[in-house]
Amino acid sequence: MNVVLWICQGVLAVVFAGSGAVKATRSKERLIESGQTGVAPLPLPAIRLVAVAELLAAVGLVLPWLLDVARVLTPLAAVGLAIVMVGAAVIHGSRREPRAVVVNAVLLALCVVVAAGRFAVA
């Protein structure tokens, strides 16, 4: 189970580090052009806030468990990202973007697996 959790953590960390970096550095228009259409209804400060949350959570998914310091931060990061994915799914659903909702649901499921698995042994 530990290997499965590490794989899930790694996938989530890569996805959210990439997404957060892009949201932190690109304009809203460029984000929409590149396919991140979920940011369309959000003001730029909210997009930047989500970017920071994604970047911090990406670090929180890996480092606490890797360094064996404050390990409870890993499942908390997963819970935080799960909340972000619920919000993203709602936005994409309201925009009638079913593929994006499916991606959000898959990422949400991975977050739940990590949170449940790591809370069990934190």
Side-chain angles (χ1 to χ4, degrees):
M1 185 63 169
N2 190 45
V3 172
V4 171
L5 290 171
W6 269 113
I7 291 169
C8 292
Q9 286 169 242
V11 168
L12 289 170
V14 167
V15 167
F16 286 106
S19 177
V22 169
K23 286 181 182 115
T25 59
R26 291 190 181 169
S27 68
K28 182 176 176 176
E29 294 75 24
R30 193 150 174 234
L31 286 168
I32 294 168
E33 289 170 7
S34 70
Q36 290 207 19
T37 56
V39 301
L42 303 175
L44 190 58
I47 295 167
R48 299 296 192 234
L49 180 64
V50 170
V52 169
E54 289 178 345
L55 290 168
L56 290 174
V59 171
L61 284 168
V62 177
L63 280 186
W65 213 263
L66 185 67
L67 300 176
D68 197 22
V69 175
R71 290 167 39 150
V72 72
L73 293 176
T74 294
L76 289 175
V79 169
L81 288 173
I83 293 167
V84 171
M85 286 300 92
V86 169
V90 168
I91 289 172
H92 286 293
S94 71
R95 295 176 53 81
R96 292 183 166 73
E97 299 172 339
R99 289 184 195 158
V101 173
V102 170
V103 171
N104 297 142
V106 169
L107 292 172
L108 172 62
L110 289 175
C111 291
V112 170
V113 166
V114 169
R118 292 306 188 200
F119 270 133
V121 292

